[in-house]
Amino acid sequence: MNAPSGQATVGDIVPRGTIASAVAMNSMGFNIARSAGPALGGAIVAAFGAAATFTLNAISYVGLIAVLFRWKPEGPVKPRLRESLGNAMLAGVQYVALSPPIRRTMVRGALFGIGGGSITSLMPLVAKDLVHGGAATFGLLLGAFGGGAVLGAITNGRLHRHFTNEVAARISVGMVIASMIIVATSRFLPITLIGLVIGGGGWLITVATMNVAVQMSAPRWVVGRALSIYQMATFGAMAASSWTSGLLSESFGVAGALLIMAGLMIA
């Protein structure tokens, strides 16, 4: 419930021409947290227990809530026609159904989620079975993927200055496919780390590009709902990918599952 409204707010904070860069920076912060968070959380669990970890996580939102309460959007607040929750949701679904650009982005987001979701969901097995490491190795793999996301955010603006969204998306999806093939075929940790850096960069650019495509295709009154439907398709597909990747790895091994999902991404 938080993610669509939070991401839709980006368009209220920055000028329209800088939304792409702002979304990339937002995604970079998320990926840094996703990489560093498990290590920090593990240290707190070891020192103080699981309850303390959840408590500190809850307290960490206080600063964000305080900032949102103090935030004053620029420009006058326009009066809006009040809608019931059900009617508002229906209006959002109808708008997305009648918008070809958003429909296409939803379908591509779902396909990307099904294929690309395997690289993160199978990462613990990559650490254990392919490069024969333990918890520290898993941390390195997460860090490499997060580091690649940071590089992707840094280069995202430059990439979009030279290429259209379509070409940029194809390049970034190609990076994720290359990453999956490298990780599947490598048994040498440094090469696997390089592959994950490439994958993290491609992942961020792809997600940011599709996010911006939805934001630029929807008017402000419905952008939160359009983003929520797009994210439902993309991240719902990633959840399905985790389950499917697990089944494939049982039948064909971790490397086989990654290669099958890479083939799906190519198709």
Side-chain angles (χ1 to χ4, degrees):
M1 294 179 70
N2 174 65
S5 57
Q7 293 188 17
T9 303
V10 171
D12 296 325
I13 297 173
V14 302
R16 189 170 178 84
T18 61
I19 286 179
S21 297
V23 167
M25 290 182 67
N26 200 28
S27 300
M28 179 179 71
F30 173 79
N31 279 278
I32 292 173
R34 184 172 66 173
S35 300
L40 178 60
I44 297 172
V45 168
F48 303 106
T53 309
F54 281 104
T55 302
L56 287 171
N57 185 47
I59 292 172
S60 73
Y61 282 89
V62 172
L64 174 61
I65 292 169
V67 168
L68 289 172
F69 268 119
R70 290 172 58 86
W71 175 47
K72 304 297 182 186
E74 293 184 8
V77 178
K78 298 178 181 178
R80 295 183 179 181
L81 180 66
R82 292 189 62 82
E83 302 173 276
S84 68
L85 178 62
N87 286 339
M89 292 173 67
L90 181 61
V93 171
Q94 288 175 334
Y95 186 90
V96 169
L98 296 172
S99 172
I102 298 179
R103 285 205 315 268
R104 284 195 296 269
T105 306
M106 272 184 57
V107 171
R108 296 173 80 166
L111 292 173
F112 177 76
I114 290 172
S118 61
I119 196 167
T120 50
S121 60
L122 293 178
M123 205 177 291
L125 294 178
V126 171
K128 176 176 174 286
D129 297 342
L130 297 188
V131 293
H132 307 293
T137 302
F138 177 54
L140 281 173
L141 299 182
L142 274 176
F145 194 82
V150 173
L151 293 175
I154 293 171
T155 58
N156 182 60
R158 186 177 303 171
L159 183 68
H160 282 85
R161 280 195 296 272
H162 290 87
F163 300 103
T164 64
N165 277 354
E166 178 66 32
V167 174
R170 292 184 183 188
I171 291 172
S172 58
V173 171
M175 291 169 63
V176 177
I177 293 169
S179 170
M180 295 168 72
I181 294 172
I182 291 170
V183 171
T185 56
S186 169
R187 300 298 179 269
F188 188 45
L189 180 58
I191 294 177
T192 301
L193 292 174
I194 292 171
L196 286 172
V197 169
I198 295 170
W203 181 280
L204 182 134
I205 295 170
T206 302
V207 172
T209 300
M210 290 191 290
N211 186 304
V212 171
V214 173
Q215 294 220 33
M216 302 301 280
S217 299
R220 297 306 305 162
W221 66 270
V222 77
V223 69
R225 283 167 275 186
L227 279 171
S228 70
I229 296 170
Y230 153 71
Q231 289 181 357
M232 180 177 66
T234 303
F235 293 105
M238 289 179 190
S241 174
S242 298
W243 177 68
T244 306
S245 299
L247 290 179
L248 289 172
S249 66
E250 286 184 348
S251 300
F252 304 102
V254 183
L258 284 169
L259 291 173
I260 290 170
M261 286 300 196
L264 176 64
M265 293 267 282
I266 292 170

